[in-house]
Amino acid sequence: MTAQKKSEYAVPKLKDFSAKALDAAAKKLLAALEKEAAAVSNEAEWKVFRDRWIARTNGILTQINDQWLKVAPKEAKRDAGQKVNELKAKVTGTVEGCEKKEIKVAVTAPAKIRDSLSHQPQPVSGTLDITLPGTRRPLGAEHPVIKTMNEIVGVFRNLGYSVEEGPEIETDYYNFEALNFPPNHPARDTQDTLFIAGQENKPLRERLLLRTHTSPVQIRTMEKMKPPVRVVCPGKVHRNDAPDATHSPIFHQVEGLAVDTNITFCDLKGTIDHAMKALFGSSVKTRFYPSFFPFTEPSADVQISCIFCGGKGYRDGARCPNCKASGWIELLGCGMVDPNVFSFVDYDPKKYSGFAFGMGVERIAILKYGVDDIQLFFNGDVRFLEQFG
Ligand code: PHE
């Protein structure tokens, strides 16, 4: 007996299109669907069941479309449309689910049952082989880059910072100009930029590019809030770098910005030193090395004492390869916000001062987990990724 013969359900023509009447009609239809789905026990029955419900010509779904939706009066169209869509999803879901059930039960019977049925092994529909192993659903692991990014953000959240995000496709204005990189300034060359093509007739500041750092979020944040500001901005950045063991055209940064009255370089040093100890352990030391960024003045690169050789430069009687025997590893850029930047966002540089910093997430993850090739983060090899569960 097929599923079709078992059921008496037929799509009724509706006279009343009120939400209540639609609900009642839908309920009846779903009850019939369930009953028929439960009765399906082999492939041939499933095919009949499928055609009865979802065949394009005159399947039940086509019928409700024609008889419940198309003919509904104007004011009921919305409700009827919603209901019909809901039913479509449920019906196709049930039909597909039923097919899966079909495949699972049509397995070969265990040897003993088989032999008792016939001398020839034969598939027995409807028998479940409980000797087969179960379906394993391995747990996924947080990606090491995201894990590290969350950890960095967590350190600053504990200090009272909030989180801001900005777009990955930026304008030249936010990525460069408002950060005090004037047009044609050589500092732009240090960040090999990927521009969106075909924008030559736009003014430079409006041209779109893939942001080369998270620093544009500093500007976006200061445009929308007044001091005191304490934010971290995690995100993806892009540079036109050829991939190798230490470079990737896509990587991640966490930016930080604090602006208030009386913020000094001491606050910057204390904050960064605390963050590095929180990330790498309390015995880590930090050192600030003069550097240059157009949007900070003075600027510094921060180095931490080498976590592999304890800052000695030598390990097991040999030069430490991680710090090239220097005892220090360079980790991030920072500085006091340049007063010129404040003038782009209408902050009074006489009243306010601030510091900013930016760190590469992959670089920190590489050090924390002893990874020797940045490409491993992006290749998607589960044998690598599952180690971070
Ligand atoms: N944006 C800089 C870079 O990507 C890092 C930086 C951020 C430096 C904030 C100073 C202050 O190289």
Side-chain angles (χ1 to χ4, degrees), residues 265 268-269 271-276 280 284-291 293 299-305 328-335 356-359 363 367:
F265 203 92
L268 170 60
K269 284 189 83 172
T271 306
I272 295 292
D273 190 68
H274 165 83
M276 293 303 118
F280 293 104
V284 149
K285 294 193 183 69
T286 52
R287 126 175 141 171
F288 288 67
Y289 219 73
S291 184
F293 300 101
S299 305
D301 283 329
V302 177
Q303 304 176 341
I304 61 167
S305 54
W328 295 95
I329 295 180
E330 197 174 300
L331 210 52
L332 61 104
C334 65
F357 56 84
M359 54 187 103
R363 185 143 171 68
L367 292 175

Side-chain angles (χ1 to χ4, degrees), residues 191 212-215 218 239 253 255-256 293 295-296 300 333-335 356-359:
Q191 305 195 345
T212 56
H213 50 176
T214 40
S215 303
Q218 290 187 32
R239 293 194 194 174
Q253 292 188 328
E255 188 85 9
F293 300 101
F295 42 96
T296 47
C334 65
F357 56 84
M359 54 187 103

Side-chain angles (χ1 to χ4, degrees), residues 163-201:
V163 179
E164 286 292 328
E165 285 180 301
E168 274 172 50
I169 301 178
E170 259 304 0
T171 57
D172 187 280
Y173 177 78
Y174 285 107
N175 198 80
F176 290 127
E177 196 178 329
L179 286 163
N180 205 27
F181 290 80
N184 302 318
H185 193 281
R188 288 178 174 226
D189 297 346
T190 63
Q191 305 195 345
D192 282 324
T193 311
L194 294 158
F195 282 88
I196 309 281
Q199 303 185 91
E200 294 71 19
N201 46 11

Side-chain angles (χ1 to χ4, degrees), residues 50 52 61 68 87 104 155 196 209 213 282 324 388:
R50 177 197 61 192
R52 169 165 153 79
L61 282 188
W68 295 6
L87 290 171
K104 273 204 201 112
V155 167
I196 309 281
L209 47 81
H213 50 176
S282 55
K324 301 203 176 72
F388 299 89

